[in-house]
Amino acid sequence: MGTASSLVVGMLSLAAAALGFLWTKNYFVSILIAVVAMLVGKSVVSFVLILWDRFRARYFPLPALTPFFERGLEDQPDQDVPAHTQGIRVLAMTESLALNADTEPVYMDMVARSLDTLSGEHPIFARRLEVVNRRELPVQYTAALCGQDGRRMGKCLRTWLKTYPLRDMHARVQNRDLFLCDGLAEVPGGGEIRYTVMVLFDGGLPVTVGKPPREDKAPAAGENQ
């Protein structure tokens, strides 16, 4: 929205300069009018953007995302990190299980189960996860509530992908960089709940899977043993 508003202000300033020149036939005055129009326009746009942000926050709030486990990010929250050291990010979503000291073990269990399941289903997932753990690359687990029947899941995902720890992780190919796992988790005293876990790998991690060793063929009948 910022780029669009700057374009509109620029076009209006040029229009004001053109009208000023037609009216005064003076280049200096028309340039002065353009500058004044741009300054006024930027002030008005800034005020409108503030009002829009307040309106959106009140009537269309973004999902709350809460990190509950981090490795390798604690000492560099505001520093640029090279893409090949980004590691993985995990988003664990439930319908309504709030994250707190009592439920954090449940969220950790969701992530652990999902990592095991995805490692068994996708060799490339297992390969990349092994590299992340062996190199002790950055890791972050984040919790979010996606609402009844997951109606806010898409908004949670979009909000998560725009957060700072995911800023430089541009490769997001399904089942190569971005993986999804659904399951059921046991909440002490609360029965079972459904969850969805999304795992995003950095695009700089290995994407090849080692081939199994080649087996020697049995000699055909009549061949020398």
Side-chain angles (χ1 to χ4, degrees), residues 76 79-87 89 138 167-169 202:
Q76 48 188 10
Q79 299 179 13
D80 291 333
V81 182
H84 66 278
T85 66
Q86 289 293 309
R89 306 291 182 269
R167 187 188 64 179
D168 295 323
M169 302 174 72
D202 174 65

Side-chain angles (χ1 to χ4, degrees), residues 83-84 86-89 128 160-161 166-179 199-207:
H84 66 278
Q86 289 293 309
I88 64 171
R89 306 291 182 269
R128 291 182 134 190
W160 178 59
L161 291 175
L166 281 76
R167 187 188 64 179
D168 295 323
M169 302 174 72
H170 300 303
R172 295 169 184 177
V173 178
Q174 186 73 26
N175 292 333
R176 191 193 72 180
D177 306 307
L178 183 62
F179 296 83
V199 182
L200 177 65
F201 287 94
D202 174 65
L205 292 169
V207 294

Side-chain angles (χ1 to χ4, degrees), residues 65-224:
L65 305 180
T66 309
F68 60 95
F69 174 80
E70 288 185 345
R71 182 187 74 196
L73 294 173
E74 301 87 347
D75 298 329
Q76 48 188 10
D78 299 320
Q79 299 179 13
D80 291 333
V81 182
H84 66 278
T85 66
Q86 289 293 309
I88 64 171
R89 306 291 182 269
V90 178
L91 177 65
M93 293 179 287
T94 65
E95 293 183 347
S96 58
L97 183 66
L99 176 67
N100 53 46
D102 295 328
T103 60
E104 183 174 324
V106 180
Y107 273 93
M108 292 294 292
D109 183 62
M110 293 177 199
V111 174
R113 288 173 178 268
S114 299
L115 296 181
D116 287 342
T117 298
L118 291 170
S119 293
E121 294 177 351
H122 304 279
I124 189 175
F125 186 98
R127 164 67 171 151
R128 291 182 134 190
L129 182 62
E130 184 272 331
V131 172
V132 169
N133 291 331
R134 175 162 48 84
R135 298 179 184 175
E136 296 186 349
L137 298 180
V139 176
Q140 184 189 65
Y141 300 165
T142 300
L145 301 181
C146 59
Q148 186 67 32
D149 297 324
R151 65 179 183 273
R152 289 165 54 87
M153 187 177 296
K155 183 173 289 188
C156 288
L157 175 60
R158 291 191 296 273
T159 303
W160 178 59
L161 291 175
K162 293 179 180 178
T163 58
Y164 180 86
L166 281 76
R167 187 188 64 179
D168 295 323
M169 302 174 72
H170 300 303
R172 295 169 184 177
V173 178
Q174 186 73 26
N175 292 333
R176 191 193 72 180
D177 306 307
L178 183 62
F179 296 83
L180 180 148
C181 183
D182 295 317
L184 294 173
E186 184 71 27
V187 179
E192 287 187 329
I193 61 167
R194 292 183 296 174
Y195 67 83
T196 297
V197 169
M198 293 189 177
V199 182
L200 177 65
F201 287 94
D202 174 65
L205 292 169
V207 294
T208 57
V209 179
K211 295 182 180 179
R214 184 176 61 182
E215 296 181 0
D216 295 332
K217 295 183 179 179
E223 293 184 1
N224 294 330

